[in-house]
């Protein structure tokens, strides 16, 4: 019997307070986005699952957490540190210590579902303002206590794991203010604990908030947008789904203030400069290992939703889709904000997920010479001044048609945009039903794309009953990223770790970067020296030793520094 | 009698071999670009010069150089170092030691004209390839001998001055090869000693040189283009006159190989990455103080000269020109490659220089409500795909007209483009006739532009008989640069230094950056700590001590490191 005829018993209640599930469940506790029956049919067929696999959720983490050991931190330190922020902003209760110790990697989720958490904070502090952070960092530096900044907790690289315990700084509780809005310069200065939607709301409603003449957008919309913070974006070098036009966070941050054990650095807000190596850029992507970001000034853009143009084309093959995307990226007619090409496997799955899987659609595409399994979906969306956005969409379309692409209207792109922040909710349901869905991503120059794609796909699909869906979604004239989604029956933790490591190693062996926009964290840390080479790692270590001589900042392997 | 009726006795012969003038004369020895009579009339009137001031060239530097003292480097070192590159690539003769010790700053030129050079290399080596550089740097590191890389020698910040003597590396003699051209990725990998025109020729004639399908451009055209090198651009964080579209050199360099006393670093060619602070970016702008650049991979663009659109408008005032340029920069319809706005004073001079000073033009502009002294010239040029370039020019024009601008055809922009690399030749003539022309530049956010412009202009024009012409020519959504040209009767060297220092201090006091694209060198070095703050300077020093623990690399104050 197919799942669509007999849907699984999805969990439809918010997780019980104090449960493991309340720590790892994605997004809002009371929000759900269950897989569509068509997607389930597809997965059942492709993964060769049996009916009973779907029926009973397992390892759901509904249990109340078991109190972790410790805290190991001396009572005197806990008392002194708590006094800095006030007792109402200091937590040593088991739940807080676990909750602020976990991100969203599959590894952490598997561990929490098995009730085997691997790391725990000793003390969770909620700093009220920059001065609190300065005092805490100074104290911890002197007392050699680990400090781990915690933003939205959406890290998939063990970036917020307090590997050595110590103090975790919950940045979202108080430090989410707008410090300045400058319409003349088109910049905004914010504290790091601001979540994506609040950040975007300040900009969209700038006339109401700041008396601005126009509405603005930050242009930064990572998949984690709703549950990640400005500070987290900067710390990990995030890239939004519209980075092809707006730039990634490295491009967007004009200046920042960072509190480090070696002192507080504030960089200047010049639009450009030729005064030596740029300290502002050195601090970006430092993942809390050099200091704590307490303020950042970002570039903002005019918000023009009515100028937006959505388009979608079905290309005959992955190779032609890559050619189309490269020509769009190198054509110098402006670039789309969002552009995404899916390989044959992902296209097939996407047709299911976006409701385009109707047999009539398939028939029409086949008649048009675009057979299933090979055909490759390209969706895009252009922003900017209306004439610009129109021109970008038009030129992109010309390129797709020249390469044999069939116009699919703007619907698939709009459909994608509508649910793009919901997809992570699927993961919890699939895990419940014994299916792992996880991702790894890499950056590639154009001339290595095919090699990396084929090599990594082969490594993933060599595992029995495993699906690999791949897309590229961040484009540059010199290359793009590859984003691999792998789906397989839920493995044991060690098996998962070995499988994941083998994929990362294949990415590296094929010549992809260690990360395009997820960051390094403690997960990729061990591979950094091999990836960058010892000369470059030595530079990172020199910076580490300067800013953080006692190695208290996000210690335990971040960026491969220990 | 006006100069136009009785032109000065311009020097029209190549400087004598072995003379001071052959060291400081701009550009090709046999190429001249004398000031137009109209410009002389203008300068005579504005500076209140007497007729006799113009008649006799002075301090022309035609004398044969006096042999400098030394070399101070031990004969054993000279012998060993010369053996690395071969005797034919090692020079200790007085002329080479002086020639490869001077850039193009007014200070150096004044000193050479007075036959008072201030610095001299002990040994000039012409490395043949990367391996030579590795061996030289290793030897000098062990023996603690200063090493100063020398590219085109167009530095205006004492960047190539061998302040402590030692070895100067002449990079242009052999190390000007193309190491790779990658049409798929749109990149080229070159050695650093390649001059601008040769670099551009490789790209424009890529089909002939590399069998490429298309012609390309580097998009980087600094004023010094003809006599500066790719390596020099990267070492000093240069910006070309078309950086508003193509980006400055910081944006253009994808990866590099740098030979340092701590080892050789080669960064990877990924289009983006999230693997911590980017070593590739840390090396950019290091001005030879961390190591010697031996290879760089740069982004290239399609060469489409027929798509180019030139435009020019006369705006009623500097303020409206700034508004127009800001709206063009923030309007998100794509950006022009070149955009330049001149304040009232520069507009008046430009009308003379570009042959637009005809009384009829003036009358027409006055009738159009654009009186002299206030009106402000905006010229622009858009590149890219033809429809894109057309759209950018059209939208820019709309903005100018909305702000009261008058269309002047494309002529002024084309006129500017035709002679843009000739203007530096004027300097030698003016110096001969006792007139100093020099420049300083800064980056400003939009909201500080007016303050910096007014404040610095006031500081310059407070000097008797001194002209100040200002333009902005590199645009970003968040701000621009200001480029101050000052013209005054030629001062004594100490007077010049004091005057220049006072302008720099005023720029800093008004909130401009220490440099937008000239770099820091040893001239701005002493102001770096004040400009960046001690926390940021400490980071630069940490990098210095790591890469160059014995401080042999371009020592003597580069970037304010000593």
């Amino acid at each position: 019997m197919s799942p669509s005829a007999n849907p699984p018993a999805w969990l439809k209640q918010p997780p019980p307070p104090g449960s493991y599930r309340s720590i790892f469940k994605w997004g809002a506790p009371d929000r759900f986005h269950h897989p569509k029956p068509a997607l389930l049919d597809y997965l059942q067929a492709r993964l060769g699952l049996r009916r009973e696999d779907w029926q009973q959720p397992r390892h759901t983490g509904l249990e109340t957490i078991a109190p972790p050991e410790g805290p190991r931190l001396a009572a005197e330190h806990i008392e002194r540190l708590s006094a800095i922020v006030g007792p109402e902003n200091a937590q040593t209760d088991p739940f807080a210590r676990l909750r602020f110790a976990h991100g969203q990697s599959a590894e952490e989720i598997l561990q929490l579902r098995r009730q085997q958490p691997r790391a725990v904070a000793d003390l969770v502090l909620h700093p009220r303002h920059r001065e609190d952070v300065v005092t805490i960092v100074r104290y911890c530096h002197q007392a050699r206590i680990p400090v781990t900044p915690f933003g939205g907790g959406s890290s998939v690289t063990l970036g917020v794991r307090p590997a050595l315990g110590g103090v975790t700084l919950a940045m979202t509780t108080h430090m989410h203010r707008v410090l300045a809005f400058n319409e003349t310069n088109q910049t905004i200065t914010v504290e790091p604990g601001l979540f994506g939607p609040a950040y975007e709301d300040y900009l969209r409603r700038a006339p109401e908030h700041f008396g601005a003449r126009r509405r603005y957008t930050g242009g930064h919309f990572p998949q984690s947008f709703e549950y990640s913070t400005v500070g987290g974006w900067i710390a990990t070098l995030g890239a939004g789904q519209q980075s092809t036009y707006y730039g990634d966070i490295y491009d967007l941050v004009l200046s920042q203030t960072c509190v480090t054990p070696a002192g507080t650095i504030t960089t200047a807000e010049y639009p450009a400069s030729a005064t030596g190596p740029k300290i502002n850029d050195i601090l970006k992507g430092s993942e809390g290992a050099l200091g704590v970001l307490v303020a950042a000034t970002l570039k903002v853009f005019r918000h023009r939703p009515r100028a937006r143009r959505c388009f979608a084309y079905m290309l005959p093959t992955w190779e032609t889709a890559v050619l189309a995307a490269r020509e769009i990226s190198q054509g110098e007619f402006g670039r789309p904000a969002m552009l995404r090409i899916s390989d044959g496997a992902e296209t097939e799955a996407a047709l299911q997920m976006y409701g385009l899987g109707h047999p009539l659609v398939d028939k029409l595409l086949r008649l048009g010479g675009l057979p299933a399994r090979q055909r490759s979906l390209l969706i895009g969306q252009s922003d900017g001044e209306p004439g610009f956005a129109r021109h970008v969409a038009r030129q992109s379309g010309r390129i797709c048609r020249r390469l044999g692409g069939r116009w699919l209207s703007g619907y698939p792109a709009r459909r994608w945009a509508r649910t793009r922040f919901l997809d992570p909710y699927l993961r919890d349901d699939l895990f419940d039903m014994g299916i792992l869905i996880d991702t790894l991503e890499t950056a590639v120059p154009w001339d290595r794309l095919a090699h990396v794609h084929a090599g990594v796909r082969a490594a993933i699909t060599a595992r029995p009953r495993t699906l690999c869906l791949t897309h590229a979604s961040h484009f540059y004239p010199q290359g793009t990223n590859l984003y691999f989604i792998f789906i397989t029956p839920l493995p044991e933790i060690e098996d998962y770790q070995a499988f994941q490591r083998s994929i990362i190693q294949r990415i590296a062996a094929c010549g992809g970067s260690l990360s395009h926009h997820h960051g390094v964290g403690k997960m990729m840390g061990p591979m950094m020296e091999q990836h960058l080479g010892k000369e470059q790692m030595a530079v990172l270590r020199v910076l580490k030793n300067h800013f953080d001589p006692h190695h208290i900042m996000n210690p335990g392997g971040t960026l491969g520094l220990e």
Side-chain angles (χ1 to χ4, degrees), chain A:
Chain A
M1 192 184 295
S2 80
S4 51
N6 186 12
W10 305 127
L11 270 67
K12 298 182 177 183
Q13 298 295 322
S19 66
Y20 290 106
R21 193 174 184 88
S22 72
I23 294 175
F24 68 73
K25 179 188 180 305
W26 177 255
D30 57 352
R31 198 166 167 197
F32 302 91
H33 180 65
H34 305 300
K36 282 186 186 303
L39 176 63
L40 294 179
D41 286 347
Y42 165 83
L43 290 177
Q44 191 184 42
R46 288 287 179 279
L47 297 180
L49 298 170
R50 294 156 308 171
R51 183 187 161 193
E52 54 268 35
D53 292 333
W54 294 92
Q55 290 315 305
Q56 199 48 56
R58 282 173 300 174
H59 302 302
T60 51
L62 293 169
E63 308 83 2
T64 300
I65 61 151
E69 285 181 23
R72 289 167 298 177
L73 198 56
E76 183 206 341
H77 288 320
I78 291 178
E79 199 177 306
R80 295 251 203 123
L81 284 161
S82 301
I84 293 170
V85 293
E88 69 280 16
N89 291 312
Q91 293 179 289
T92 50
D93 65 278
F95 184 75
R97 290 175 54 214
L98 267 193
R99 158 159 163 40
F100 289 105
H102 284 87
Q104 286 284 338
S105 68
E107 179 175 327
E108 288 159 294
I109 291 166
L110 290 174
Q111 288 162 350
L112 288 169
R113 283 177 174 266
R114 302 284 177 143
Q115 308 176 45
Q116 296 166 7
R118 285 283 302 280
V120 60
D122 291 318
L123 171 66
V124 178
L125 298 178
H126 302 255
R128 296 162 300 175
H129 39 56
R130 169 184 161 156
E131 289 67 33
D132 275 356
V133 176
V134 170
T135 314
I136 293 166
V137 167
R138 192 183 298 136
Y139 184 94
C140 291
H141 173 59
Q142 284 162 1
R144 291 171 163 67
I145 299 167
V147 177
T148 304
F150 191 102
S154 67
S155 167
V156 290
T157 61
L158 307 178
V160 294
R161 170 176 280 180
L164 309 182
V167 174
T168 284
L169 299 181
M171 303 302 290
T172 57
T173 315
H174 303 295
M175 293 188 66
H176 50 62
R177 283 160 290 227
V178 172
L179 302 176
F181 177 78
N182 187 321
E183 188 162 23
T184 305
N185 295 347
Q186 287 196 186
T187 60
I188 189 168
T189 305
V190 300
E191 290 181 322
L194 196 58
F195 279 104
Y199 176 65
E200 192 65 15
D201 179 78
Y202 277 119
L203 294 171
R204 299 257 175 114
R205 300 200 299 124
E208 295 83 351
H209 287 297
F210 314 116
R213 290 185 305 125
R214 286 195 173 87
R215 303 186 178 283
Y216 294 89
T217 176
H220 188 80
F221 304 97
Q223 173 92 68
S224 62
F225 175 71
E226 293 178 304
Y227 296 94
S228 59
T229 62
V230 177
W233 303 340
I234 299 170
T236 58
L237 293 181
Q241 289 164 340
Q242 299 175 34
S243 75
T244 299
Y245 173 75
Y246 292 104
D248 64 18
I249 205 72
Y250 195 77
D251 303 315
L252 293 173
V253 175
L254 197 60
S255 67
Q256 55 192 306
T257 298
C258 193
V259 173
T260 83
T264 299
I265 283 193
T266 297
T267 63
E269 287 179 28
Y270 296 115
S273 66
T275 51
K278 304 187 184 195
I279 314 301
N280 180 43
D281 287 345
I282 291 176
L283 295 171
K284 295 173 192 168
S286 53
E287 303 198 5
L290 302 182
V292 184
L293 182 72
V294 294
T297 300
L298 294 100
K299 307 172 186 175
V300 302
F301 304 83
R302 297 178 183 175
H303 182 54
R304 285 161 159 152
R306 278 180 303 185
R308 177 163 292 175
R309 289 284 181 282
C310 290
F311 53 90
Y313 291 83
M314 188 65 79
L315 277 295
T317 59
W318 170 241
E319 289 71 25
T320 48
V322 170
L323 272 181
R326 174 153 76 89
E327 180 60 23
I328 291 170
S329 304
Q330 296 179 336
E332 293 192 56
F333 47 80
R335 271 180 274 165
M338 185 275 284
L339 185 65
R340 179 175 169 133
I341 53 173
S342 300
D343 73 352
E346 183 173 286
T347 296
E348 196 188 354
L351 290 183
Q352 308 296 331
M353 289 169 74
Y354 299 164
L356 288 170
H358 194 281
L360 191 61
V361 174
D362 183 56
K363 190 160 186 185
L364 284 171
L365 289 171
R366 280 170 192 274
L367 284 175
L370 300 173
R373 301 276 172 123
Q374 284 188 39
R375 62 196 178 196
S376 202
L377 181 64
L378 177 150
I379 60 176
Q381 168 202 305
S382 54
D383 278 3
E385 177 269 336
F388 173 87
R390 197 165 48 234
H391 187 65
V392 169
R394 194 173 294 162
Q395 292 294 111
S396 300
R398 268 184 207 154
I399 290 165
C400 289
R401 286 192 299 275
R402 204 168 62 220
L403 287 159
R406 294 270 154 163
W407 185 61
L408 300 178
S409 84
Y411 174 76
R414 279 192 297 273
R415 178 74 179 72
W416 169 87
R418 210 167 65 220
T419 61
R420 60 182 167 154
F421 298 134
L422 289 174
D423 290 345
Y425 286 93
L426 297 173
R427 190 201 54 197
D428 293 321
D429 287 326
L430 292 176
F431 273 57
D432 286 345
M433 296 304 157
I435 297 174
L436 174 88
I437 178 164
D438 196 15
T439 66
L440 281 166
E441 43 95 54
T442 183
V444 289
W446 290 114
D447 66 347
R448 279 208 295 272
L449 186 152
H451 183 62
V452 175
H453 177 252
V456 176
R457 233 190 98 71
I460 290 173
T461 55
R463 186 182 173 91
R465 297 166 74 203
T466 302
L467 271 174
C468 174
L469 317 178
T470 312
H471 62 259
S473 44
H474 305 265
F475 292 91
Y476 312 84
Q478 278 64 45
T480 180
N481 73 318
L482 282 174
Y483 198 90
F484 298 99
I485 303 172
F486 43 100
I487 306 174
T488 192
L490 206 64
E492 296 299 313
I493 294 175
E494 290 71 26
D495 182 18
Y496 165 76
Q497 288 170 323
F499 179 43
Q500 192 212 36
R501 201 158 43 238
S502 73
I503 304 171
I504 298 170
Q505 278 163 352
R506 181 63 70 95
I507 290 174
C510 291
S513 79
L514 202 52
S515 172
H516 171 268
H517 65 269
H518 282 177
V520 173
K522 298 167 192 88
M523 180 181 286
M524 307 286 193
M527 304 197 59
M528 278 284 276
E529 178 126 1
Q530 181 197 330
H531 184 64
L532 293 182
K534 68 179 170 52
E535 294 84 4
Q536 291 192 64
M537 269 314 286
V539 180
L540 296 187
R541 291 205 182 93
V542 159
L543 292 169
K544 173 76 172 176
N545 291 334
H546 168 69
F547 284 112
D548 179 24
H550 300 164
H551 286 223
I552 63 157
M553 292 304 315
N554 202 356
T558 302
L559 292 175
L561 288 167
E562 290 101 1

